[in-house]
Amino acid sequence: MTTGTFDVDTARKETPGCDTVIHLNNAGASLMPQPVLDSVVGHLQLEARIGGYEAAAAASDVVEGVYSSAARLLGCSTAEIAVVDSATRAWDLAFYAIPFGRGDRILTSEAEYASNFIAYLQVAERSGVRIDVVPNDESGQLSVDRLREMIDDRVRLVSLTHVPTNGGLVNPAAEVGRVTRAAGIPFLLDACQSAGQLPLDVEAIGCDMLSLTGRKYLRGPRGTGLLYVRRELLPELRPPMLDLHAATWVSRDGYRMRDDARRFESWECNYAAKIGLGTAIDYALGWGIEPIRDRVGGLAEDLRGRLEELPGVRVRDTGLQRCGIVSCTVDGMPGDAVKAAMAERGINVSVSRAPSTRWDMEARGLPEVVRVSVHYYNTVDEIETFCLALEVAILRSGR
Ligand SMILES: *Cc1c(COP(=O)(O)O)cnc(C)c1O
């Protein structure tokens, strides 16, 4: 296992929640580290002390710094970043800005997240676009060969979930990017679960739009998300709504949009959370995304190996490359029963159900999976404790 050099002790000391829980729900929301907590609470205290507008003015450099941090994380410029309140909203703002016409096609993946697919369906209904799901290859990742074959001049968007919400699969984003670049088709990447655990360089990937959340592997506060939009694409997109931050009312019958990606933002925001997101990105970059990837990947592989040995437990992760999300089923034990039994012992896991990733789950005949998602601050001891607790729960359930 390649987890030897990571300074786990420091990571745990800087994570107050490690004293309270065994947190294996990092794909839901990770435990915030102390510096993130301090920056959020610190700004709230400043607001309480001197006033909200005044606190924002006093922290303007820090707020600007959030864009620099995001640009460093993604390898883009600050003008290509919008800070919003969730990954879904970030994704929606980009998606609904694409001027689809009747007969246009959207190519997407089997691993697609429900909120994305619901938006495709709505736009299909409204604008008469066609949704085509690119099949997986035999490993369970999106088939890049099939994608290449499915491209024609009606394809208006390729939209892909990098890491699905329900398992360890990592879709081949950079290979998809090579195909979309060659074809000149915009590529929207949902990087919600990969941000903070896998390197995300928008040039290396070749995506044109990317959305991510703060609270998952980046360990930021809830209610934060980021949108990246490639500069060259900005003029082609029509933000679904504008306000006096996104645009200026220049005359009674005229407005001018901002010329950067902040045209997708709204004026009002949670400054404390936004500042916390910047701190979380800096904190992740401080550890290094590649060391994080290796540590998280090593722990997840260790966990998969142990789960395989438990009676009735089946690991459900697919694909060639895997990440920190481990999914499994337990014969005869519903996901909620597993979750409740673990909660009794102070262990957090979650359950992912078919309506969140319907294409994938139906293709595999799975109504639900138990999702056990590790982060770098988890330990092999914690994984052992979890596996032991699961074994006891399985025995008690009377199999
Ligand atoms: C969690 C998740 C989202 C949604 O993120 P929010 O910040 O809750 O909007 C989108 N896509 C995937 C793959 C997710 O797992």
Side-chain angles (χ1 to χ4, degrees):
M1 207 173 61
T2 56
T3 56
T5 54
F6 206 94
D7 185 2
V8 183
D9 288 345
T10 300
R12 292 179 68 78
K13 272 194 208 106
E14 293 178 354
T15 305
C18 286
D19 295 336
T20 331
V21 287
I22 294 182
H23 192 66
L24 303 172
N25 187 17
N26 295 288
S30 288
L31 298 174
M32 278 185 280
Q34 192 66 45
V36 171
L37 189 59
D38 289 345
S39 69
V40 174
V41 173
H43 189 78
L44 284 176
Q45 284 169 337
L46 190 64
E47 287 185 346
R49 233 179 18 252
I50 69 170
Y53 285 38
E54 294 73 15
S60 63
D61 287 351
V62 181
V63 173
E64 252 338 281
V66 178
Y67 295 86
S68 315
S69 301
R72 258 186 295 136
L73 178 72
L74 300 176
C76 64
S77 91
T78 54
E80 296 174 308
I81 296 289
V83 182
V84 295
D85 51 13
S86 75
T88 300
R89 202 47 86 227
W91 189 96
D92 284 340
L93 285 164
F95 177 72
Y96 284 98
I98 300 168
F100 288 107
R102 189 156 294 279
D104 283 350
R105 297 171 69 207
I106 298 169
L107 299 188
T108 189
S109 66
E110 291 200 36
E112 212 57 16
Y113 188 63
S115 298
N116 305 355
F117 218 98
I118 290 167
Y120 304 148
L121 292 171
Q122 190 194 30
V123 165
E125 213 171 72
R126 270 188 197 164
S127 318
V129 306
R130 219 173 87 198
I131 311 157
D132 289 312
V133 176
V134 181
N136 287 336
D137 66 17
E138 51 301 335
S139 79
Q141 67 173 23
L142 175 131
S143 165
V144 181
D145 288 336
R146 293 302 306 277
L147 169 69
R148 214 175 278 116
E149 289 163 16
M150 287 169 77
I151 284 187
D152 63 22
D153 53 13
R154 298 314 312 254
V155 176
R156 188 77 182 86
L157 176 72
V158 172
S159 177
L160 174 65
T161 295
H162 195 191
V163 168
T165 199
N166 66 334
L169 165 73
V170 181
N171 263 321
E175 288 174 55
V176 169
R178 279 196 283 282
V179 174
T180 57
R181 271 192 176 172
I185 297 166
F187 174 18
L188 168 57
L189 185 66
D190 175 344
C192 198
Q193 291 292 2
S194 47
Q197 66 161 323
L198 297 174
L200 285 178
D201 180 308
V202 292
E203 291 310 320
I205 293 171
C207 59
D208 302 291
M209 297 159 281
L210 177 150
S211 56
L212 61 81
T213 198
R215 73 174 187 279
K216 295 179 180 173
Y217 277 89
L218 276 173
R219 310 184 64 194
R222 296 200 65 171
T224 56
L226 281 181
L227 171 65
Y228 154 80
V229 180
R230 186 176 297 283
R231 192 187 286 105
E232 293 74 30
L233 199 66
L234 268 183
E236 290 177 39
L237 299 180
R238 300 180 198 152
M241 52 254 198
L242 294 172
D243 72 358
L244 78 179
H245 165 81
T248 306
W249 196 11
V250 291
S251 66
R252 282 197 172 182
D253 53 7
Y255 69 88
R256 196 179 53 238
M257 250 192 286
R258 286 184 66 112
D259 53 17
D260 59 16
R262 292 185 212 183
R263 61 174 61 171
F264 290 102
E265 295 181 346
S266 43
W267 185 86
E268 175 57 347
C269 68
N270 183 337
Y271 279 89
K274 185 168 180 173
I275 289 168
L277 173 63
T279 309
I281 294 171
D282 293 343
Y283 190 77
L285 292 172
W287 287 102
I289 303 293
E290 280 162 14
I292 291 173
R293 173 197 60 199
D294 295 346
R295 163 84 187 161
V296 169
L299 283 174
E301 272 309 302
D302 180 83
L303 171 56
R304 288 186 190 104
R306 290 170 198 263
L307 286 173
E308 301 273 17
E309 285 168 18
L310 296 181
V313 176
R314 284 182 235 194
V315 173
R316 299 293 186 171
D317 299 321
T318 60
L320 292 176
Q321 194 198 335
R322 310 250 170 108
C323 66
I325 305 178
V326 177
S327 59
C328 66
T329 53
V330 183
D331 290 350
M333 236 187 133
D336 279 338
V338 173
K339 182 178 161 180
M342 296 304 105
E344 270 177 35
R345 291 162 176 261
I347 303 170
N348 297 340
V349 301
S350 61
V351 182
S352 191
R353 296 172 216 280
S356 294
T357 42
R358 184 168 288 289
W359 272 76
D360 171 58
M361 296 289 264
E362 284 184 1
R364 295 194 281 153
L366 293 172
E368 60 174 28
V369 290
V370 175
R371 188 177 67 173
V372 192
S373 44
V374 297
H375 215 320
Y376 59 76
Y377 53 75
N378 291 125
T379 61
V380 173
D381 275 359
E382 287 183 322
I383 287 173
E384 266 174 23
T385 303
F386 160 70
C387 289
L388 203 61
L390 181 57
E391 194 171 3
V392 170
I394 292 168
L395 292 174
R396 286 215 179 122
S397 80
R399 290 190 63 253

